[in-house]
């Protein structure tokens, strides 16, 4: 119990050119570009092809050149043009305005626009087909194929639409649908609740799936539509949607909330100093080098705001002998920054043997002579007692 006395980095100028470092950076850029073209599909290849055609018609030889000209992020623009990043409508309209093309043509192919590179379009189709073939033997990709089909059969035309209706994270859903991340048991249960299927079917493909018999019989062929764009797939699936659950309402899935980490309260650390060391320190004029017994921890700013002491100068001392209502287990909290007694306040003095005495200053200031056998330690601001 405590008794209170009162309540982007720049290169250095002149740095020499390092040919090996430049070659290494070029190799890294080529590797990143290769990963973009071979990585998981996240965007719309038709939209990416139209974006490239618009950029070329505007006279820019590369996506990086266009980004630097207009002040865009080169990495983001190139990811949009290679369909490795989702292109939002608002961003597409900015590109359309900059390249002077119809935004509806860029977004949906409606209206007039520059001719799309047929070779590039074929490369995209082949890449999607290859990924679909590889996914058939990949367990993580297989669950992603079933997840995408489940989302489409629930009537959601995009991961963005599904995330908005269910409360799931769009980026998480996209990463699971593209096979970038494996679907865990917990997430499979959330997806099953949101899309009206069985979690075990999403994870392993084991039947029953939770769909009506007429749909379950078609699941092998339906899963093969994984590589199709959402627009085409939803048109093909539209006759089946009423049979899934004509009156079911989409459930709002709230992912489990993680318990916040316990807050670590800040503390004021106050040293305890044995009485036998204090007289020597007071004689030399400094307590900085006096040995400390151990540290006491108080709530943050407790010493300053509650006890009214000066934190750097506050110490704790043990009386050592029973005196003036103190026992050997008690401790005295002393503010050593106050060395001149003030009327009405209790002050602590110490002798060369480490014995303490408490003095209540009378009317008028009280000071201890320099050559006295006692030394003024400071003002008592509190007491720690075992009772």
């Amino acid at each position: 119990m405590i008794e209170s006395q009162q309540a982007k980095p720049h290169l250095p100028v002149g740095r020499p050119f390092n040919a090996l470092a430049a070659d290494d950076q070029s190799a890294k850029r080529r590797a990143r570009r290769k990963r973009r073209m071979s990585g998981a599909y996240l965007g719309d290849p038709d939209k990416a092809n139209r974006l490239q055609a618009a950029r070329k018609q505007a006279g820019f030889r590369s996506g990086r050149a266009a980004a630097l000209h207009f002040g865009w992020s080169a990495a983001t623009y190139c990811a949009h043009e290679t369909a490795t990043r989702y292109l939002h409508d608002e961003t597409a309209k900015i590109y359309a305005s900059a390249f002077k093309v119809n935004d509806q043509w860029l977004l949906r192919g409606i209206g007039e626009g520059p001719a799309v590179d047929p070779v590039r379009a074929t490369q995209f189709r082949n890449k999607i087909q290859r990924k679909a073939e590889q996914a058939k033997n990949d367990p993580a990709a297989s669950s992603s194929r079933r997840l995408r089909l489940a989302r489409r059969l629930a009537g959601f035309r995009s991961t963005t639409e599904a995330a908005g209706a269910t409360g799931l994270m769009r980026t998480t859903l996209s990463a699971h649908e593209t096979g970038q991340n494996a679907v865990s048991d917990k997430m499979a249960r959330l997806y099953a609740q949101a899309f009206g299927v069985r979690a075990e079917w999403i994870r392993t493909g084991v039947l029953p799936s939770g769909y009506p018999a007429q749909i379950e019989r078609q699941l092998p062929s339906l899963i093969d539509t994984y590589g199709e764009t959402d627009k085409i797939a939803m048109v093909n699936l539209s006759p089946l949607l009423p049979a899934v659950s004509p009156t079911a309402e989409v459930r709002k899935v709230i992912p489990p909330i993680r318990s916040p980490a316990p807050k670590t309260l800040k503390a004021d650390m106050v040293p305890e100093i044995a009485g036998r060391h204090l007289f020597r320190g007071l004689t030399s004029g400094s307590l900085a080098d006096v040995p400390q017994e151990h540290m006491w921890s108080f709530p943050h700013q407790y010493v300053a705001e509650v006890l009214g002491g000066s934190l750097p100068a506050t110490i704790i001392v043990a009386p050592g002998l029973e005196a003036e209502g103190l026992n050997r287990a008690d401790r005295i909290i002393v503010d050593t920054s106050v060395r001149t007694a003030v009327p009405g306040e209790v002050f602590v003095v110490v002798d060369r043997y480490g014995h303490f005495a408490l003095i209540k200053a009378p009317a008028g200031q009280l000071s201890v002579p320099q050559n006295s056998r006692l030394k003024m330690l400071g003002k008592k601001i509190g007491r720690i007692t075992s009772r």
Side-chain angles (χ1 to χ4, degrees), residues 254-271:
I254 306 297
I257 299 176
R258 296 179 180 177
S259 301
K263 294 183 179 180
T264 303
L265 298 177
K266 295 182 179 179
D268 297 323
M269 306 304 294
V270 179

Side-chain angles (χ1 to χ4, degrees), residues 51-303:
L51 180 60
Q52 189 210 41
R55 186 256 301 167
K56 285 187 172 181
Q57 178 179 265
F60 296 99
R61 298 183 60 183
S62 67
R64 179 177 176 81
L68 293 176
H69 178 81
F70 292 108
W72 304 327
S73 165
T76 301
Y77 176 81
C78 291
H80 287 152
E81 195 172 291
T82 55
T84 56
R85 184 167 181 167
Y86 183 80
L87 178 56
H88 292 275
D89 289 1
E90 295 77 8
T91 306
K93 290 178 181 179
I94 294 174
Y95 293 155
S97 176
F99 295 146
K100 296 180 172 54
V101 296
N102 184 349
D103 57 1
Q104 290 302 310
W105 171 83
L106 182 58
L107 284 167
R108 300 172 182 84
I110 301 174
E112 297 294 330
V116 173
D117 184 354
V119 175
R120 191 172 194 266
T122 301
Q123 289 176 341
F124 264 119
R125 284 195 298 271
N126 292 339
K127 182 182 74 170
I128 293 174
Q129 185 175 0
R130 285 196 306 271
K131 291 183 73 64
E133 292 296 327
Q134 293 169 359
K136 291 182 179 180
N137 300 319
D138 184 349
S142 297
S143 61
S144 68
R145 290 156 64 84
R146 290 187 291 273
L147 177 60
R148 177 171 288 180
L149 177 61
R151 187 257 300 168
R152 289 170 172 171
L153 286 175
F156 298 115
R157 297 179 174 273
S158 66
T159 55
T160 302
E161 182 180 336
T166 62
L168 297 166
M169 289 290 293
R170 184 195 65 81
T171 52
T172 302
L173 178 56
S174 294
H176 285 152
E177 278 198 13
T178 56
Q180 287 181 304
N181 296 334
V183 180
S184 65
D185 292 347
K186 179 183 72 174
M187 291 307 301
R189 288 193 296 270
L190 290 176
Y191 292 138
Q193 181 183 355
F195 302 145
V197 295
R198 293 183 65 248
E200 188 66 19
W201 175 76
I202 291 180
R203 285 184 55 255
T204 65
V206 174
L207 298 175
S209 62
Y211 290 118
Q214 64 269 33
I215 292 181
E216 197 161 272
R217 287 192 296 267
Q218 303 179 53
L219 285 179
S221 60
L222 293 177
I223 290 175
D224 285 339
T225 62
Y226 172 82
E228 295 179 351
T229 64
D230 281 332
K231 183 177 181 180
I232 296 174
M234 293 304 293
V235 171
N236 295 332
L237 293 174
S238 58
L240 301 176
L241 298 185
V244 175
S245 185
T247 60
E249 295 182 359
V250 176
R251 295 183 179 181
K252 191 77 171 181
V253 176
I254 306 297
I257 299 176
R258 296 179 180 177
S259 301
K263 294 183 179 180
T264 303
L265 298 177
K266 295 182 179 179
D268 297 323
M269 306 304 294
V270 179
E272 179 179 333
I273 301 176
R276 64 183 180 275
H277 301 304
L278 286 171
F279 191 91
R280 184 173 66 252
L282 293 172
T283 302
S284 65
S286 174
L287 297 175
D289 299 327
V290 174
Q292 301 173 358
E293 296 295 314
H294 64 269
M295 303 295 290
W296 287 72
S297 176
F298 291 84
H300 186 46
Q301 296 184 340
Y302 179 86
V303 174

Side-chain angles (χ1 to χ4, degrees), residues 241 308 319 370 377:
L241 298 185
Q370 286 293 103
L377 182 60

